[in-house]
Amino acid sequence: MVALVRLRAPLALVGAAVLVLVGPPLLTTGSGSETGTQIPGLRFMVPNTPGGGYDITARTAAKNAEDAGLTHNIEVFNLPGAGGTVGLTRLVSEHGNGKLAMSMGLGVVGAVRSNDAPSTLADTTPIARLTEEQDVVVVAKDSPYKTIDDLIGAWKEKPGKLPVGGGSSPGGPDHLAPMLMAQAAGIAPKDVNYVPFDGGGELLASILGNKVAFGVSGVGEYLDQIKAGELRLLAVTGPERVDGLDAPTLQEAGYDVNFTNWRGIVAPPGLTDSERDKLTRLIEELHDSPEWQKSMKQNGWDDAFLTGDKFGEFLEAQDKRVVSVLKELGL
């Protein structure tokens, strides 16, 4: 069985919001001035288009931080391109800027490798891993595929004729998950027609417009569309079913895949200890707030909180794992 290490982990999306929230978890929540979490002029960068997982996480985190009184007037902005590496390059160029943070996750780890990016996550200041979530396998509501077996049966017959869309570059979660599915189903990963999109927002339009046969993305990104009946959920990629959703795991359906995605937050290099610690405190306060805990539940995110050097070690391990899995899949 091939699967990425299930180290509890981002959003990535949360990263953006989290940055906004970064502040000391020293006292009680509710007053950023009391706990030292106020960061005037804080900006949270989302390295892909609106509507994707990083975007949802960042904007949710920013709102939660403000509602909890941790900080105010957080600016969330999008800088898409090259699977998140355009944003990463910008972040690294902002050396010493303690008022900027970026939401990110496994997709950026993979994009650095697949795009041969000039900057890597080792060039950033690790702040926190926030969430972990399963990917979902979805089709449009009028798709001929009613079950995961229907889909994979047709996929095995003509793998190149059934394009699969994902909101990440090769090496990212939405690419690795269907490749692992293909391997488990007896399809050569090199025969898969994978179509990358710059985030879940762009991918959604292509699924609904039947431009791809099916899509793979984070559960939190498409939860509303699934519940509204716009998307048909065929399976989830993790070890357990998702509460409130009627779909089997891939393992239940007989395909040996156990895969989860994560999201987190990083900051520019060159921060002072004080700047780094303040961002970290903000995120810690955000993580502990009732507002954030409620949002995680509503979005189907699992808590994967990890900060500082331990998060940095996790990033290094994930980079090595992505390289290993891509080699194993022959990609």
Side-chain angles (χ1 to χ4, degrees):
M1 164 180 160
V2 182
L4 284 184
V5 177
R6 259 192 109 241
L7 301 176
R8 304 295 296 173
L11 181 0
L13 318 192
V14 156
V18 160
L19 290 177
V20 167
L21 318 175
V22 173
L26 304 178
L27 305 177
T28 57
T29 59
S31 173
S33 60
E34 292 177 359
T35 61
T37 58
Q38 292 287 346
I39 304 179
L42 180 62
R43 307 178 76 213
F44 199 87
M45 184 197 304
V46 178
N48 60 13
T49 55
Y54 299 155
D55 188 69
I56 294 170
T57 302
R59 294 180 190 280
T60 300
K63 183 178 187 305
N64 288 169
E66 294 192 2
D67 288 348
L70 299 176
T71 192
H72 301 284
N73 300 320
I74 300 164
E75 179 188 353
V76 180
F77 68 100
N78 299 78
L79 184 62
T85 57
V86 170
L88 176 62
T89 299
R90 163 72 179 279
L91 186 81
V92 172
S93 75
E94 295 276 347
H95 189 277
N97 186 350
K99 296 187 177 184
L100 179 65
M102 185 180 83
S103 65
M104 49 74 69
L106 180 57
V108 177
V109 176
V112 166
R113 287 293 177 180
S114 61
N115 294 322
D116 195 21
S119 299
T120 74
L121 290 165
D123 298 321
T124 69
T125 299
I127 300 298
R129 184 186 67 192
L130 295 170
T131 62
E132 183 180 50
E133 70 173 342
Q134 301 197 43
D135 268 1
V136 291
V137 182
V138 293
V139 296
K141 63 181 179 181
D142 57 351
S143 168
Y145 309 117
K146 308 296 185 183
T147 68
I148 188 66
D149 284 335
D150 289 344
L151 172 64
I152 289 183
W155 199 22
K156 289 176 71 173
E157 288 184 9
K158 297 180 179 180
K161 298 294 185 181
L162 268 70
V164 50
S168 61
S169 296
D174 299 351
H175 171 248
L176 293 176
M179 294 302 168
L180 294 169
M181 285 173 54
Q183 185 185 56
I187 300 169
K190 64 182 179 60
D191 292 337
V192 173
N193 181 5
Y194 176 74
V195 183
F197 294 87
D198 207 350
E202 289 186 358
L203 171 61
L204 177 61
S206 290
I207 299 172
L208 295 176
N210 293 309
K211 300 293 180 60
V212 293
F214 67 104
V216 176
S217 192
V219 60
E221 294 180 61
Y222 294 158
L223 199 57
D224 290 344
Q225 290 80 9
I226 292 170
K227 291 184 175 180
E230 297 175 11
L231 292 176
R232 181 183 300 142
L233 175 61
L234 301 185
V236 297
T237 65
E240 299 176 352
R241 291 192 177 210
V242 175
D243 288 344
L245 297 181
D246 184 19
T249 67
L250 287 169
Q251 287 184 326
E252 278 184 76
Y255 306 100
D256 193 10
V257 176
N258 178 357
F259 179 89
T260 54
N261 186 18
W262 56 268
R263 297 190 180 100
I265 300 171
V266 294
L271 300 192
T272 65
D273 289 349
S274 176
E275 289 171 327
R276 182 199 61 212
D277 292 346
K278 192 166 191 178
L279 274 175
T280 304
R281 286 195 302 270
L282 173 57
I283 298 201
E284 289 172 339
E285 288 282 351
L286 171 66
H287 169 263
D288 293 342
S289 70
E291 290 84 356
W292 177 249
Q293 294 297 319
K294 180 179 179 180
S295 291
M296 282 201 298
K297 184 175 182 180
Q298 289 176 336
N299 286 289
W301 298 333
D302 293 326
D303 194 355
F305 197 59
L306 190 67
T307 61
D309 291 343
K310 290 185 178 179
F311 179 44
E313 292 168 2
F314 171 80
L315 290 177
E316 183 178 357
Q318 286 288 280
D319 179 58
K320 292 177 180 177
R321 187 58 179 157
V322 165
V323 173
S324 173
V325 171
L326 288 174
K327 286 182 178 179
E328 186 175 350
L329 293 173
L331 300 173

